[in-house]
Amino acid sequence: MGHIDWAYDLARNLLKESLPRRWAHTKGVARRAESLTAILGDQADTLIAAAYLHDIGYAPDLVDTGMHQLDGARYLRDVAHADDTICRLVAHHSCSVNEATQRDLYDLLTGEFDEESPELAQALTYCDMTTGPDGRHLDVTDRLGEIHARYGPDHLVSRSITAATPCILASVRAVEAALSDVRQSRTA
Ligand SMILES: [Fe+2]
């Protein structure tokens, strides 16, 4: 079984029944990842697999610390035996060090999982932060607004997203610039 098929099956088994909306979001994020093949080349398959797996930490059976990025990455490392790149991408997706700080889990997160290369990490953040909760494409500004509206101003996730916003916007801009470069080189 290929890398992507394995990731799809694992995520579907964990999310589809218990969290159908999260599963719809996940499939949307994976579609965004597929759209980045032109800028990622050989690494695109890894990104697509990580996109399918990035939110498995929300699955009820996996919740431990309550920080879905860390719970998902630990499951991938300890139970699913995923490769290190995918574990690191899931652990740090969408600038999760900010949420780890809010939850007092920064030392655990960074002690257990190194950051992945900026190119891949920013790509996963771009995919997640331009996909709404139902899987449809959203502008990053609308996506950030949707998260704030869903959780409310006092929620830890809203505070984390506020702290992460510069990192998220930088990631989206970096990927958009890379996509623009590819388009220009094709028309040159
Ligand atoms: Fe997500």
Side-chain angles (χ1 to χ4, degrees), residues 22 25 29 54-55 93 128 143:
R22 187 66 63 183
H25 163 78
V29 174
H54 81 284
D55 273 352
H93 80 264
D128 190 22
R143 171 70 160 136

Short mmCIF file of all heavy atoms in Angstrom, two decimals, residues 22 25 29 54-55 93 128 143, ligand 1:
data_model
loop_
_atom_site.label_atom_id
_atom_site.label_comp_id
_atom_site.label_asym_id
_atom_site.label_seq_id
_atom_site.Cartn_x
_atom_site.Cartn_y
_atom_site.Cartn_z
N ARG A 22 -14.92 16.98 10.67
CA ARG A 22 -13.45 17.02 10.69
C ARG A 22 -12.90 16.20 9.54
O ARG A 22 -11.88 16.55 8.95
CB ARG A 22 -12.97 16.48 12.04
CG ARG A 22 -11.51 16.61 12.31
CD ARG A 22 -11.01 18.02 12.44
NE ARG A 22 -11.57 18.75 13.55
CZ ARG A 22 -11.31 20.04 13.82
NH1 ARG A 22 -10.48 20.72 13.04
NH2 ARG A 22 -11.85 20.64 14.84
N HIS A 25 -13.21 18.32 6.43
CA HIS A 25 -12.11 19.30 6.44
C HIS A 25 -10.80 18.63 6.02
O HIS A 25 -10.06 19.16 5.17
CB HIS A 25 -11.98 19.91 7.85
CG HIS A 25 -10.67 20.59 8.11
ND1 HIS A 25 -10.38 21.86 7.62
CD2 HIS A 25 -9.56 20.19 8.78
CE1 HIS A 25 -9.17 22.20 8.00
NE2 HIS A 25 -8.65 21.21 8.70
N VAL A 29 -8.20 19.59 3.02
CA VAL A 29 -6.79 19.93 3.22
C VAL A 29 -5.91 19.06 2.31
O VAL A 29 -4.94 19.55 1.71
CB VAL A 29 -6.40 19.77 4.71
CG1 VAL A 29 -4.90 19.98 4.92
CG2 VAL A 29 -7.20 20.76 5.57
N HIS A 54 -3.19 15.18 9.65
CA HIS A 54 -2.83 16.31 10.52
C HIS A 54 -3.79 16.50 11.69
O HIS A 54 -3.39 16.98 12.74
CB HIS A 54 -2.70 17.61 9.70
CG HIS A 54 -3.98 18.31 9.38
ND1 HIS A 54 -4.85 17.88 8.42
CD2 HIS A 54 -4.54 19.42 9.91
CE1 HIS A 54 -5.88 18.70 8.37
NE2 HIS A 54 -5.72 19.65 9.26
N ASP A 55 -5.05 16.11 11.53
CA ASP A 55 -6.03 16.35 12.60
C ASP A 55 -6.51 15.08 13.29
O ASP A 55 -7.52 15.12 14.02
CB ASP A 55 -7.26 17.10 12.03
CG ASP A 55 -7.07 18.62 12.03
OD1 ASP A 55 -6.08 19.09 12.62
OD2 ASP A 55 -7.92 19.31 11.44
N HIS A 93 2.00 21.42 12.95
CA HIS A 93 1.22 22.05 11.87
C HIS A 93 0.49 23.31 12.34
O HIS A 93 0.07 23.43 13.48
CB HIS A 93 0.26 21.05 11.21
CG HIS A 93 -1.02 20.78 11.93
ND1 HIS A 93 -1.18 19.71 12.76
CD2 HIS A 93 -2.22 21.40 11.92
CE1 HIS A 93 -2.41 19.68 13.23
NE2 HIS A 93 -3.07 20.72 12.74
N ASP A 128 -3.95 23.82 5.56
CA ASP A 128 -4.91 23.81 6.67
C ASP A 128 -5.59 25.18 6.82
O ASP A 128 -6.79 25.26 7.06
CB ASP A 128 -4.16 23.46 7.95
CG ASP A 128 -5.07 23.18 9.13
OD1 ASP A 128 -6.27 22.85 8.91
OD2 ASP A 128 -4.60 23.26 10.28
N ARG A 143 -10.54 32.23 7.04
CA ARG A 143 -10.28 31.03 7.86
C ARG A 143 -9.95 31.44 9.30
O ARG A 143 -10.47 30.85 10.27
CB ARG A 143 -9.14 30.24 7.23
CG ARG A 143 -8.62 29.10 8.07
CD ARG A 143 -9.60 27.96 8.19
NE ARG A 143 -8.91 26.73 8.57
CZ ARG A 143 -9.35 25.89 9.49
NH1 ARG A 143 -10.51 26.12 10.10
NH2 ARG A 143 -8.67 24.81 9.78
FE FE B 1 -6.89 21.14 10.16
#
